[in-house]
């Protein structure tokens, strides 16, 4: 009996040692990953910031060449200048998007109470010209109030609305429906469109930075928009995914934590002397 107890005790001690060792390794890996992500974000910010000025000069002088010498040289020269202007402009957009991606969670103004209804209205106003040109309809129900950073949540909805308008179906008038429901201690927000849709095998790939499913000539963009959306959602403590049950268009879903109500401060009873 004593031998069996000693054996079981040794097994327990060994198991505890293995668990503690595994926990130490996980903590080290988490620390390394955090440091690596911080270094990568810092590198992206510095590199992008330092590239802005020389690229701005390249773009400005290319545009100046295009305006001043258009149709004065041969057709091939005009084509080469147009390629240079387009490349410089695309690089500027890429750098700006990369800067926006690297700033999420680094330059913070703190969380506040945010009314998502107002955020969606502001985000939709950015696409007023496209809405009028395409006849697009953007509707939403009573969305909840959450804790977060208003500029980031505005960028989140702007990316999803802009994505729906960009990838609209050629035979349908764009329709975007934004809805919400409470699931446990989270709000689940849905952004549904009737566009060209995303094949299920690409449902995860679209959230990876610089990943594109279409040629840049077919649909403009840098391939960072949905990566920014994912980072914003995760920064706010949620998650985002594509609902595979949608058969027409695309249905994005993401979660945001339900704000924790602060307990009221108890009133102090006055003592009567």
């Amino acid at each position: 009996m004593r031998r069996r107890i000693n054996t079981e005790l040794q097994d327990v001690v060994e198991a505890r040692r293995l668990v503690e060792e595994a926990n130490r390794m996980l903590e080290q890996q988490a620390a390394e990953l955090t440091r690596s992500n911080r270094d990568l974000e810092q590198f992206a910010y510095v590199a992008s910031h330092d590239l802005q000025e020389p690229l701005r000069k390249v773009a400005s002088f290319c545009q100046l060449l295009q305006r001043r010498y258009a149709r004065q040289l041969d057709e091939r020269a005009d084509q080469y200048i147009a390629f240079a202007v387009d490349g410089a402009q695309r690089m500027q957009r890429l750098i700006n998007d990369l800067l926006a991606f690297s700033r999420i969670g680094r330059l913070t103004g703190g969380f506040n109470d945010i009314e998502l209804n107002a955020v969606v209205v502001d985000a939709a106003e950015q696409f007023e010209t496209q809405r009028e040109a395409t006849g697009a309809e953007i509707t939403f129900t009573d969305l909840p109030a959450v804790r977060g950073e208003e500029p980031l949540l505005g960028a989140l909805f702007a990316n999803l609305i802009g994505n729906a308008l960009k990838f609209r179906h050629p035979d349908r008038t764009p329709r975007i429906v934004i809805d919400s429901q409470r699931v446990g201690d989270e709000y689940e927000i849905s952004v549904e469109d009737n566009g060209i849709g995303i094949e299920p095998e690409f449902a995860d790939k679209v959230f990876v930075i610089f990943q594109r499913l279409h040629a840049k000539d077919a649909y403009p963009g840098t391939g960072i928009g949905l990566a920014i959306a994912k980072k914003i959602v995760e920064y706010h403590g949620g998650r985002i995914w594509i609902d595979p049950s949608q058969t027409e268009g695309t249905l994005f879903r993401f979660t945001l934590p339900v704000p924790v109500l602060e307990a009221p401060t108890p009133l102090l009873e006055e003592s009567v002397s």
Side-chain angles (χ1 to χ4, degrees):
M1 176 67 70
R2 181 179 299 175
R3 182 179 301 172
R4 187 176 64 186
I5 293 175
N6 287 335
T7 301
E8 293 177 352
L9 181 59
Q10 290 176 1
D11 291 342
V12 170
V13 171
E14 178 64 17
R16 178 178 297 177
R17 186 189 67 78
L18 292 175
V19 169
E20 291 175 350
E21 181 66 23
N23 286 336
R24 281 195 298 270
M25 292 180 63
L26 287 175
E27 290 174 358
Q28 291 175 358
Q29 291 175 354
E32 286 293 331
L33 182 60
T34 300
R35 183 164 51 252
S36 175
N37 286 339
R38 185 172 59 248
D39 292 344
L40 180 60
E41 290 174 358
Q42 184 67 22
F43 170 78
Y45 176 78
V46 172
S48 301
H49 186 272
D50 291 345
L51 282 173
Q52 288 278 33
E53 182 57 29
L55 184 59
R56 191 178 296 115
K57 288 184 178 179
V58 171
S60 297
F61 280 105
C62 285
Q63 290 169 338
L64 185 61
L65 281 172
Q66 190 177 45
R67 289 195 300 268
R68 181 167 297 181
Y69 297 104
R71 293 182 298 277
Q72 295 185 25
L73 304 173
D74 59 22
E75 183 178 349
R76 180 169 296 180
D78 288 343
Q79 186 180 41
Y80 289 166
I81 294 174
F83 286 157
V85 171
D86 178 66
Q89 290 176 340
R90 285 192 292 110
M91 181 61 75
Q92 283 182 314
R93 291 193 295 268
L94 182 62
I95 288 176
N96 288 331
D97 286 348
L98 187 58
L99 275 172
F101 183 83
S102 68
R103 284 170 174 164
I104 297 172
R106 294 181 65 250
L107 303 178
T108 175
F111 279 19
N112 298 296
D113 294 328
I114 306 296
E115 293 286 345
L116 291 185
N117 285 323
V119 172
V120 171
V121 169
D122 290 342
E125 286 180 352
Q126 301 177 33
F127 303 95
E128 190 62 31
T129 301
Q130 289 177 259
R131 289 174 62 187
E132 292 179 355
T134 62
E137 178 184 3
I138 302 176
T139 61
F140 58 93
T141 57
D142 292 332
L143 301 177
V146 299
R147 294 281 295 174
E149 293 193 31
E150 186 170 0
L152 292 181
L153 292 175
L156 167 63
F157 280 103
N159 270 310
L160 295 178
I161 293 173
N163 200 71
L165 292 174
K166 184 197 312 188
F167 297 103
R168 60 185 179 273
H169 197 283
D171 301 327
R172 293 192 286 263
T173 300
R175 177 178 50 83
I176 304 169
V177 180
I178 303 173
D179 202 353
S180 67
Q181 62 177 337
R182 179 165 179 170
V183 181
D185 57 354
E186 294 179 321
Y187 290 122
E188 184 177 286
I189 316 295
S190 61
V191 180
E192 178 183 358
D193 66 63
N194 63 342
I196 62 175
I198 297 174
E199 295 297 330
E201 60 264 32
F202 301 121
D204 294 327
K205 182 179 180 181
V206 295
F207 294 108
V208 179
I209 192 169
F210 299 134
Q211 293 295 320
R212 299 176 57 94
L213 302 184
H214 307 275
K216 64 178 182 297
D217 296 334
Y219 294 97
T222 58
I224 302 181
L226 290 179
I228 289 177
K230 181 174 185 290
K231 192 172 182 181
I232 291 173
V233 170
E234 292 178 347
Y235 173 66
H236 284 80
R239 61 194 188 283
I240 186 171
W241 68 97
I242 294 176
D243 192 330
S245 66
Q246 183 76 355
T247 58
E248 180 181 284
T250 305
L251 174 55
F252 288 95
R253 295 187 186 275
F254 63 90
T255 62
L256 295 172
V258 174
V260 178
L261 298 178
E262 296 182 0
T265 304
L267 297 177
L268 298 177
E269 296 183 359
E270 297 182 358
S271 60
V272 180
S273 56

